[in-house]
Amino acid sequence: MERPLDALSKAKGKIITVALKNNSVVKGKLDAFDIHINLVLSDAEETNGEKNKHSQLFIRGDMVVHLSMTN
Amino acid sequence: MERPLDALSKAKGKIITVALKNNSVVKGKLDAFDIHINLVLSDAEETNGEKNKHSQLFIRGDMVVHLSMTN
Amino acid sequence: MERPLDALSKAKGKIITVALKNNSVVKGKLDAFDIHINLVLSDAEETNGEKNKHSQLFIRGDMVVHLSMTN
Amino acid sequence: MERPLDALSKAKGKIITVALKNNSVVKGKLDAFDIHINLVLSDAEETNGEKNKHSQLFIRGDMVVHLSMTN
Amino acid sequence: MERPLDALSKAKGKIITVALKNNSVVKGKLDAFDIHINLVLSDAEETNGEKNKHSQLFIRGDMVVHLSMTN
Amino acid sequence: MERPLDALSKAKGKIITVALKNNSVVKGKLDAFDIHINLVLSDAEETNGEKNKHSQLFIRGDMVVHLSMTN
Amino acid sequence: MERPLDALSKAKGKIITVALKNNSVVKGKLDAFDIHINLVLSDAEETNGEKNKHSQLFIRGDMVVHLSMTN
């Protein structure tokens, strides 16, 4: 792999788990990303004490701690 | 979808729910956005312990955690 | 509306309410703004526990949470 | 007024009161400013629990919350 | 060594330990990095009170405190 | 004075007192500065509960609250 | 000295002590630096309550408070 964003390109259309700086964890299908690590997830479930469902969720890139790819 | 901002383009004129870094949640109609994720919402209701109504609200992009689209 | 800053252009000369990251709320007439959301308000009243009056107040843009327009 | 920095231009040589992000308040004569809102004040008095005098004080712009102009 | 990123180039394909600003420590094989210090690690183990395994993990660069190379 | 950095130019070679965002105060001779307000002080004494001496100290600009010039 | 980075150039290959924003202190030989103050230290000892040794450590520049040069 050449660059970190290549890993995101390969994850498009797949289920990923995103840890946010507010300690939320969001799991969903990666629809889109950009160089700021702005993300769009669909069928997303957010866990932060309680659980919330989002049919489509835009996440601002500067909130991202890390993204875990699922095999 | 190519880029995350495409999701915002499609949400223009629709009701979205925005989570902010100060733990406020704002629900309203998306009138405008830009690449910084600066937003303008109309007929917005902000919830943060108490509820506040705003006929039109400009939100600075760096306060945004995520935006949830409504079907 | 095309861009979020258009909402600020239309608010020039009108009374707005600005929420700041230090939990202050400032209400006053919007005299000027720029792309950083630096603001100048006149006849401004700041509320943060106590109240303070400012004949003219320059607010650094990165302190802004949101601006509420008044009809 | 066209731009927020015009208010600072008009305040040069006058007494202003600057609120900082560390809750200090500095009052003094505005000698210079730039687009980052870096400031130089002379004959400045800083209040933050205790009071400190500074014959000339350079303030880094990213520390500024707001500046209040005095009539 | 000329530049700090040269140390990351030499670490590609090797096991490194990354300390994050949220006090997590992640150990894994460095697959990719960029100038923002965005990282991709494979076979990563994250320790933050509990332990989590990630087959592939993208870490946003602004979360990085430091990276320790292993001989 | 035209620009805030002019005050730093005039302070080169003189004793200044720098307040940092971690509440340290560093007093020493200003050897060098740049537009980021990165500083080099020599014969510096840092006070933060305890006192530390530094023969030469590089301070990252984003840590600076303000610099007080001494007559 | 003209610019602050000149002090880092002169410190290359020498032992320096770096204070980080997470209150760690790292002492080691400066192998490389760049304009972001990204650093590589070798034979580094990190102190933060406990002590950790790193044969080679990359430190992200935005974590740096200051660097103390040793005579």
Side-chain angles (χ1 to χ4, degrees):
Chain A
M1 191 189 311
E2 278 307 302
R3 299 160 304 163
L5 296 192
D6 295 344
L8 300 189
S9 295
K10 286 184 7 191
K12 268 188 77 168
K14 295 182 186 164
I15 305 296
I16 63 169
T17 302
V18 185
L20 300 186
K21 289 178 187 169
N22 64 357
N23 294 318
S24 285
V25 174
V26 184
K27 184 170 184 174
K29 183 164 72 72
L30 179 62
D31 285 344
F33 69 91
D34 63 22
I35 57 166
H36 308 291
I37 322 301
N38 292 323
L39 305 172
V40 175
L41 300 187
S42 56
D43 298 321
E45 187 180 66
E46 181 182 18
T47 308
N48 194 352
E50 57 185 39
K51 283 185 190 290
N52 284 293
K53 300 263 186 181
H54 304 277
S55 60
Q56 190 177 55
L57 189 71
F58 175 100
I59 299 173
R60 199 171 190 269
D62 74 326
M63 283 301 295
V64 172
V65 174
H66 58 51
L67 294 85
S68 182
M69 316 320 175
T70 320
N71 291 115
Chain B
M1 192 190 311
E2 278 307 304
R3 299 160 304 163
L5 296 192
D6 296 344
L8 300 189
S9 296
K10 288 186 2 193
K12 269 188 77 168
K14 296 182 186 163
I15 306 296
I16 62 168
T17 302
V18 185
L20 300 187
K21 289 179 186 169
N22 64 357
N23 294 318
S24 286
V25 174
V26 184
K27 185 170 184 175
K29 183 165 71 74
L30 179 62
D31 285 345
F33 69 91
D34 63 21
I35 57 166
H36 307 291
I37 322 301
N38 292 323
L39 305 172
V40 176
L41 300 188
S42 56
D43 297 320
E45 187 181 66
E46 181 182 19
T47 307
N48 194 351
E50 57 185 37
K51 282 184 191 290
N52 284 292
K53 300 262 186 182
H54 305 278
S55 60
Q56 190 177 55
L57 189 71
F58 175 99
I59 300 173
R60 199 172 192 269
D62 74 325
M63 284 301 293
V64 173
V65 174
H66 58 52
L67 294 84
S68 182
M69 315 320 176
T70 320
N71 291 115
Chain C
M1 191 189 310
E2 278 307 302
R3 300 160 303 163
L5 295 192
D6 296 344
L8 300 189
S9 296
K10 286 184 8 193
K12 270 188 78 169
K14 296 183 186 162
I15 305 296
I16 62 168
T17 303
V18 186
L20 300 187
K21 289 179 187 169
N22 64 357
N23 295 318
S24 286
V25 175
V26 184
K27 185 171 184 174
K29 184 163 71 73
L30 179 62
D31 285 344
F33 70 91
D34 63 20
I35 57 166
H36 307 292
I37 324 299
N38 291 322
L39 305 172
V40 175
L41 300 187
S42 56
D43 298 321
E45 187 181 66
E46 181 183 18
T47 308
N48 193 352
E50 57 185 38
K51 283 184 191 290
N52 285 292
K53 300 262 187 183
H54 305 278
S55 61
Q56 191 178 56
L57 189 71
F58 174 99
I59 300 173
R60 199 172 192 271
D62 74 324
M63 283 301 292
V64 172
V65 174
H66 58 52
L67 294 84
S68 182
M69 315 320 176
T70 320
N71 292 115
Chain D
M1 190 189 309
E2 278 307 302
R3 300 160 304 164
L5 295 192
D6 295 344
L8 300 188
S9 296
K10 286 184 9 192
K12 270 188 78 168
K14 296 182 185 162
I15 305 297
I16 62 168
T17 303
V18 186
L20 300 187
K21 289 180 187 169
N22 64 356
N23 295 317
S24 286
V25 175
V26 184
K27 185 170 184 174
K29 185 163 70 72
L30 180 61
D31 285 343
F33 70 91
D34 63 21
I35 57 166
H36 307 292
I37 324 300
N38 291 322
L39 305 171
V40 176
L41 301 187
S42 57
D43 298 322
E45 186 180 67
E46 180 182 18
T47 308
N48 193 353
E50 57 186 39
K51 283 184 190 291
N52 284 293
K53 300 262 188 184
H54 304 279
S55 61
Q56 191 177 57
L57 189 71
F58 175 99
I59 299 173
R60 199 171 192 271
D62 74 325
M63 283 302 293
V64 172
V65 173
H66 58 52
L67 294 84
S68 182
M69 316 319 177
T70 319
N71 291 115
Chain E
M1 190 190 311
E2 278 307 303
R3 298 160 304 163
L5 295 192
D6 295 344
L8 300 188
S9 295
K10 287 186 4 193
K12 269 187 78 168
K14 295 181 186 163
I15 305 296
I16 63 169
T17 303
V18 186
L20 300 187
K21 289 178 187 169
N22 65 357
N23 295 317
S24 286
V25 174
V26 184
K27 185 170 186 175
K29 184 164 70 72
L30 179 62
D31 285 343
F33 70 91
D34 62 23
I35 58 167
H36 308 290
I37 322 303
N38 291 322
L39 305 172
V40 176
L41 300 187
S42 56
D43 298 321
E45 186 180 67
E46 180 182 18
T47 308
N48 193 353
E50 57 187 38
K51 283 185 190 291
N52 284 293
K53 301 264 187 181
H54 304 278
S55 61
Q56 189 178 55
L57 189 71
F58 175 100
I59 299 173
R60 200 171 190 270
D62 74 327
M63 283 301 294
V64 172
V65 173
H66 58 51
L67 293 85
S68 182
M69 316 321 176
T70 320
N71 291 116
Chain F
M1 190 189 310
E2 278 306 303
R3 299 161 304 162
L5 295 192
D6 294 344
L8 300 188
S9 295
K10 287 184 8 191
K12 270 188 78 168
K14 295 181 186 163
I15 305 296
I16 62 168
T17 303
V18 185
L20 300 187
K21 289 179 187 168
N22 64 357
N23 296 317
S24 286
V25 174
V26 184
K27 185 171 185 174
K29 184 163 71 71
L30 180 61
D31 285 344
F33 70 91
D34 63 22
I35 57 166
H36 308 292
I37 323 300
N38 290 322
L39 306 171
V40 175
L41 301 187
S42 57
D43 297 322
E45 186 181 67
E46 180 182 19
T47 308
N48 193 352
E50 58 186 38
K51 283 184 189 291
N52 284 293
K53 301 262 188 184
H54 305 278
S55 61
Q56 190 177 57
L57 189 71
F58 175 100
I59 299 173
R60 200 172 191 269
D62 74 326
M63 283 303 292
V64 172
V65 173
H66 58 51
L67 293 85
S68 182
M69 316 320 177
T70 320
N71 291 116
Chain G
M1 190 190 310
E2 279 306 303
R3 299 161 303 163
L5 296 192
D6 294 344
L8 300 189
S9 295
K10 287 184 8 190
K12 270 188 78 169
K14 296 181 184 162
I15 306 296
I16 62 168
T17 303
V18 186
L20 300 187
K21 289 179 187 168
N22 65 357
N23 295 317
S24 285
V25 175
V26 183
K27 185 171 186 174
K29 185 164 70 72
L30 179 61
D31 285 343
F33 69 91
D34 63 22
I35 57 167
H36 307 291
I37 323 301
N38 291 322
L39 306 170
V40 176
L41 301 187
S42 56
D43 297 321
E45 186 180 68
E46 181 181 18
T47 308
N48 193 353
E50 58 186 37
K51 283 185 189 292
N52 284 293
K53 301 263 188 182
H54 305 278
S55 61
Q56 190 178 55
L57 189 71
F58 175 100
I59 299 173
R60 200 173 192 269
D62 74 327
M63 283 302 294
V64 172
V65 173
H66 58 52
L67 293 85
S68 182
M69 316 320 177
T70 320
N71 291 117

